[in-house]
Amino acid sequence: MAKVFRKPASFKDVSTNYCPGCGHGIIQRIVAEVVDEMGIRERTIGFPPVGCAIYLDLYLDFDMVQPAHGRTPAVATGLKRVLPDHIILGYEGDGGLTAIGTAEVIHAANRSENITIIFVNNAVYGMTGGQMAPTTLISQKTATTPLGRDLKRDGYPLRLCELLATLDGSAYLIRTAVSSPANVRKTKKAIRRAIEVQMEGLGFSMVEVLSPCPINWGLTPVEAMKWIDEKMIPYFPLGEFKSPNSRG
Amino acid sequence: MDKRVLMRGNDAIAEAAIRSGCRYYFGYPITPQNELTAYMAKRMPEVGGTFIQAESEIAAINMVYGAAAAGQRAMTSSSGPGISLKQEGISYLAGAELPCFYASVVRGGPGLGNIAPAQSDYFQSTRGGGHGDYRVIVLAPNSVQEMANLTMLGFHLADKYRNPAMVLADAILGQMLEPMEFKTPQFSPLPPKDWAVGNMEARPPRLISSLFLGEGKLEKHNLELKEKYEKIQAEEMRWEGFMLDDAQVALVAYGTCARIARGAVIQGRAQGVKIGLCCPITLWPFPSEFVGQLSKNVRNILVVEMSLGQMVEDVRLAVNGRCEVQLYGRTGGGIPTVEEILERVSRL
Ligand SMILES: Cc1ncc(C[n+]2csc(CCOP(=O)(O)OP(=O)(O)O)c2C)c(N)n1
Ligand code: SF4
Ligand SMILES: [Mg+2]
């Protein structure tokens, strides 16, 4: 019988250690599929982030450089300048990109660095036990907002795509989700496009993926997918915020 | 062959880096090292290199981390406040065993302090400042010539040991103009960078990381680092002695203070004082054996520093109570004079 569903070659022959229903595994599988389909494995460099995806190198089968929390866009800049023909594929959470590393991502985008960032927005700090992230929704309960995120005290959830879209240096910015098979397919298409933009030398590209963290949201895996659709997407609308064609 | 040229200290570091094959410079402006950054901005494009003015010192050192991970000679430079921000990155570079070079041209601290010459970042340089059990090779020039020589040596040692190496200078050395010559050093061959990422055809993937989570893994890694550090201590200690043979009093000083102390030795000798100078070139590894040996022959040691007592701690550890060790320290931009030093010596 012909095999119709198999592990991508760029995904190592191991099972992941993510919680049941976690989005990281889905997104990393997509990355592996895209890298396979584009035939770029030997020229791709990944970045295991400080966050739940810290073991990215255990799953994805290409060269990896591990930066400090939030510093991926700066480390990626240094690497890309040395290896301009390589695909530099950052991967970070909302803690890394919208809190501790905000300066690094804004300036990498503003310099129009030819790099791609996969931004996994799960509205919490997964790894450290579900604390508030800048992307945590108003009233959302987390370990550090036990009564819910308070607008007056904690400010507004931060929309990174929209923020980076104001910069002339960003080339391709899109927000997707992994909450349904259709959204997973769109995420895959977006990651492929982001890498193409990098390979064409068009500038900074980022795919923000709304991703479930059922454990820290206190939901079942199925409920968590629904929560993305019903709670996250209204605040974090899906779609393209910048694309090389839409540049003025 | 190269001829003698008049160079500024900061420029000498930059040009020596270029001549060492460094093609990646990432920096953020700060006085008193701005000439170095400006020199790189002009020179890097001329040699086909990359210059980036980063958004912060944090970003700059992380760009160095990226370029170093790809196996290239990369550097940054700053002064105390900026080095404070780089310490995070330096700890990661040390943990991941990535070679890199950086220069710290010290100004007065703590805090914003001032922009006058100081040596108050000896601890910051030799004791890390970043987290974890790690060491950085610290080289201390005392002339523009040495700014260049030690920069070249720094790049070599960084590659030799897969470790960050730095030059620790001060505002005087950075700004000073002196005749000097770029010599091509004869270094031993270096090991291939068979750990660098990129161009993965026909080999398994590589990982550059400072993460060692499994049981016992970090202890093993840190013990391997320790072994490397011990090798550096055994092989790379450098110092200079001046008129120490019959000295009863030894001055110990590095950098700008070593120049002034040398003047004090010459003047003191002319007055019949049996005085000499020990000048550490490597601050880490500190030349403890030599200083320890010295303490057997002299009556007193006077450490001269532009800080209120940092290197003096290493001297005391090396001397281990065998002779008197005193400090003459100035701070916040104060510079010791020959007369002050000799006056201190007369009171020992
Ligand atoms: C400098 C520094 N500060 C804090 C931490 C602790 N820390 C580890 S992961 C993390 C947050 C991770 O959240 P996120 O980036 O959203 O990734 P996720 O786990 O949600 O995928 C924090 C704060 C650290 N490792 N380094
Ligand atoms: S804590 Fe959340 S993000 Fe982390 S592995 Fe579990 S589900 Fe995934
Ligand atoms: Mg997160």
Side-chain angles (χ1 to χ4, degrees):
Chain A
M1 220 170 78
K3 250 193 184 171
V4 292
F5 189 77
R6 58 163 67 85
K7 186 186 69 62
S10 293
F11 206 97
K12 291 184 187 171
D13 206 2
V14 292
S15 48
T16 63
N17 59 4
Y18 300 117
C19 310
C22 176
H24 276 300
I26 306 172
I27 299 165
Q28 285 157 31
R29 186 195 157 94
I30 296 174
V31 169
E33 284 178 4
V34 171
V35 166
D36 280 2
E37 286 164 21
M38 295 180 84
I40 54 173
R41 184 176 154 264
E42 280 73 22
R43 284 194 297 138
T44 299
I45 295 174
F47 299 82
V50 178
C52 279
I54 198 154
Y55 277 135
L56 198 62
D57 57 287
L58 292 188
Y59 310 137
L60 297 184
D61 201 21
F62 41 82
D63 280 1
M64 298 267 168
V65 177
Q66 179 149 57
H69 189 26
R71 312 299 178 218
T72 298
V75 174
T77 296
L79 260 163
K80 184 72 179 187
R81 296 302 177 114
V82 175
L83 300 168
D85 62 339
H86 278 56
I87 289 83
I88 304 297
L89 202 53
Y91 186 109
E92 276 195 286
D94 34 71
L97 284 164
T98 65
I100 198 166
T102 319
E104 283 79 10
V105 74
I106 286 179
H107 287 276
N110 197 48
R111 281 191 305 269
S112 211
E113 292 294 341
N114 261 308
I115 58 174
T116 300
I117 304 278
I118 313 289
F119 165 25
V120 180
N121 179 355
N122 57 12
V124 282
Y125 287 6
M127 188 191 217
T128 39
Q131 295 88 350
M132 180 183 72
T135 52
T136 294
L137 296 179
I138 298 298
S139 302
Q140 184 184 335
K141 286 188 177 151
T142 70
T144 49
T145 53
L147 303 177
R149 181 174 182 156
D150 175 358
L151 188 62
K152 278 213 176 108
R153 189 190 57 190
D154 307 315
Y156 296 86
L158 198 149
R159 297 186 183 99
L160 189 60
C161 276
E162 288 85 336
L163 185 72
L164 298 184
T166 64
L167 305 174
D168 289 341
S170 59
Y172 181 63
L173 301 168
I174 185 168
R175 184 180 291 123
T176 66
V178 288
S179 52
S180 68
N183 278 339
V184 168
R185 275 195 298 277
K186 283 184 195 160
T187 300
K188 182 170 172 183
K189 212 176 129 208
I191 290 177
R192 190 185 173 104
R193 181 68 194 128
I195 293 175
E196 283 167 2
V197 166
Q198 178 181 168
M199 289 170 78
E200 289 162 25
L202 297 174
F204 181 87
S205 55
M206 185 180 84
V207 181
E208 172 176 346
V209 188
L210 305 183
S211 172
C213 176
I215 290 289
N216 287 307
W217 295 353
L219 301 173
T220 66
V222 175
E223 286 166 351
M225 292 302 192
K226 240 180 103 187
W227 196 81
I228 291 179
D229 287 341
E230 289 173 4
K231 296 282 172 26
M232 283 188 88
I233 292 177
Y235 192 88
F236 295 110
L238 305 187
E240 260 182 18
F241 294 88
K242 196 81 158 286
S243 89
N245 321 328
S246 72
R247 269 173 130 181
Chain B
M1 272 273 70
D2 269 305
K3 52 181 187 319
R4 283 176 86 72
V5 286
L6 192 65
M7 276 304 263
R8 186 192 302 274
N10 283 332
D11 297 348
I13 291 180
E15 182 58 32
I18 302 250
R19 289 174 189 234
S20 302
C22 172
R23 291 294 175 272
Y24 298 89
Y25 176 90
F26 308 99
Y28 187 87
I30 186 168
T31 308
Q33 62 81 59
N34 286 322
E35 297 80 10
L36 203 171
T37 313
Y39 193 97
M40 285 303 200
K42 182 167 176 291
R43 273 293 271 154
M44 276 301 181
E46 288 172 6
V47 295
T50 294
F51 168 91
I52 297 183
Q53 179 170 328
E55 61 271 27
S56 69
E57 288 87 351
I58 295 176
I61 192 73
N62 280 288
M63 291 173 188
V64 169
Y65 184 97
Q72 291 297 311
R73 285 192 162 178
M75 75 170 286
T76 184
S77 61
S78 192
S79 187
I83 300 288
S84 290
L85 290 181
K86 289 184 201 290
Q87 298 285 23
E88 177 198 55
I90 294 163
S91 164
Y92 279 74
L93 282 150
E97 291 195 84
L98 285 178
C100 78
F101 174 81
Y102 58 103
S104 174
V105 185
V106 182
R107 56 191 255 171
L112 212 43
N114 64 18
I115 55 166
Q119 293 182 322
S120 44
D121 295 341
Y122 181 95
F123 284 157
Q124 186 191 49
S125 308
T126 60
R127 302 298 194 268
H131 54 289
D133 266 337
Y134 75 94
R135 291 292 188 178
V136 163
I137 299 166
V138 186
L139 305 168
N142 57 46
S143 66
V144 174
Q145 181 67 58
E146 280 193 0
M147 293 282 253
N149 295 358
L150 295 184
T151 294
M152 292 179 177
L153 179 65
F155 274 104
H156 176 75
L157 294 180
D159 277 347
K160 182 172 171 188
Y161 294 103
R162 286 187 62 182
N163 205 71
M166 71 175 291
V167 155
L168 181 69
D170 61 63
I172 293 183
L173 289 165
Q175 305 297 322
M176 178 160 64
L177 282 161
E178 264 184 343
M180 56 84 65
E181 186 180 344
F182 287 102
K183 299 170 186 155
T184 310
Q186 300 300 316
F187 291 132
S188 51
L190 289 166
K193 293 187 172 177
D194 53 10
W195 42 263
V197 297
N199 302 303
M200 200 184 83
E201 297 85 2
R203 63 158 173 83
R206 288 175 182 161
L207 169 69
I208 304 275
S209 173
S210 60
L211 178 75
F212 296 87
L213 273 182
E215 165 120 30
K217 281 192 181 161
L218 182 59
E219 184 163 34
K220 182 171 170 285
H221 173 67
N222 285 353
L223 287 171
E224 283 163 12
L225 289 182
K226 178 171 177 265
E227 219 169 277
K228 173 170 89 174
Y229 299 147
E230 283 169 355
K231 192 160 182 253
I232 298 174
Q233 283 177 306
E235 292 177 15
E236 308 299 345
M237 279 180 191
R238 286 168 169 80
W239 66 88
E240 281 166 8
F242 179 59
M243 303 215 138
L244 282 170
D245 285 350
D246 61 340
Q248 291 174 349
V249 176
L251 303 176
V252 182
Y254 69 96
T256 290
C257 280
R259 293 172 74 102
I260 302 166
R262 199 181 166 91
V265 169
I266 292 168
Q267 196 163 313
R269 286 276 171 178
Q271 296 164 8
V273 186
K274 292 210 162 153
I275 182 175
L277 168 67
C278 165
C279 170
I281 302 295
T282 50
L283 299 182
W284 195 88
F286 187 77
S288 340
E289 266 171 53
F290 182 71
V291 173
Q293 219 35 56
L294 189 63
S295 65
K296 294 182 186 157
N297 306 331
V298 299
R299 183 166 39 84
N300 282 294
I301 287 180
L302 180 69
V303 178
V304 182
E305 283 187 82
M306 291 191 290
S307 95
L308 291 181
Q310 299 197 9
M311 184 177 68
V312 67
E313 291 194 3
D314 279 336
V315 174
R316 288 204 170 111
L317 281 171
V319 166
N320 202 14
R322 278 184 294 260
C323 78
E324 269 293 304
V325 177
Q326 292 203 20
L327 167 75
Y328 180 52
R330 297 287 307 270
T331 183
I335 300 166
T337 64
V338 166
E339 291 69 30
E340 286 164 6
I341 294 171
L342 288 175
E343 197 269 327
R344 285 288 166 137
V345 169
S346 72
R347 285 202 275 130
L348 287 174

